[in-house]
């Protein structure tokens, strides 16, 4: 499996050339605050299976956690923690060129999910901006 992706401005591009071990939709407060979104999709891959072109900036959010993002546009891209996930990198799946390249396999950290999320599917939907 090959998955291509990158940041909003195009300065950082990546290729995943191996198996996606898990694809989680995370609801934790750290991810929510760092990404400004609920939930945040993370595709976990072996570090050796991820090739990155372009410069990223590191934000150490807690312990040995490193969140990498594009210095130009601020797009969140990668999450690494050797103590939690040795040899793995989590890639923000919203940055895949093809959003359907890999379907999420689980929802995690639901204890931190906002209560309204359970009813979000009941909100009116619009294919584009509403009239």
């Amino acid at each position: 499996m090959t998955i291509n992706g990158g940041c909003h401005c195009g300065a950082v591009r990546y290729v995943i050339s191996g198996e996606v071990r898990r694809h989680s939709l995370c609801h934790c407060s750290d991810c929510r605050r760092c990404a400004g979104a609920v939930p945040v999709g993370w595709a976990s891959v072996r570090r050796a299976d991820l090739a990155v072109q372009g410069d990223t900036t590191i934000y150490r959010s807690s312990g040995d956690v490193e969140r990498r993002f594009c210095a130009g546009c601020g797009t969140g891209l990668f999450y690494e923690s050797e103590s939690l996930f040795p040899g793995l990198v989590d890639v923000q799946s919203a940055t895949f060129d093809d959003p359907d390249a890999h379907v999420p396999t689980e929802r995690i950290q639901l204890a931190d999910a906002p209560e309204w999320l359970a009813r979000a599917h009941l909100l009116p939907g619009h294919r584009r901006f509403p009239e």
Side-chain angles (χ1 to χ4, degrees), residues 97-112:
D97 289 347
D98 175 2
D100 294 318
H102 193 277
V103 177
T105 56
E106 63 188 352
R107 297 170 58 208
I108 61 172
Q109 303 288 5
L110 290 171
D112 287 351

Side-chain angles (χ1 to χ4, degrees), residues 1-107:
M1 168 181 282
T2 299
I3 299 173
N4 297 294
C7 67
H8 186 262
C9 73
V12 179
R13 297 289 303 157
Y14 64 81
V15 177
I16 298 169
S17 59
E19 169 191 5
V20 173
R21 295 175 168 255
R22 65 190 319 159
H23 186 174
S24 307
L25 298 180
C26 185
H27 298 77
C28 82
S29 58
D30 283 346
C31 286
R32 188 171 64 243
R33 288 181 182 270
C34 286
V38 178
V40 179
W42 293 106
S44 184
V45 300
R46 288 181 340 122
R47 188 175 292 116
D49 293 340
L50 176 66
V52 180
Q53 292 182 328
D55 293 324
T56 59
T57 297
I58 297 172
Y59 170 61
R60 288 179 171 75
S61 60
S62 57
D64 73 337
V65 172
E66 292 185 352
R67 294 174 183 269
R68 295 181 181 268
F69 57 94
C70 173
C73 65
T75 300
L77 295 163
F78 313 115
Y79 174 106
E80 292 185 73
S81 170
E82 197 59 32
S83 66
L84 295 173
F85 310 111
L88 299 177
V89 177
D90 282 352
V91 179
Q92 275 198 28
S93 56
T95 65
F96 292 172
D97 289 347
D98 175 2
D100 294 318
H102 193 277
V103 177
T105 56
E106 63 188 352
R107 297 170 58 208

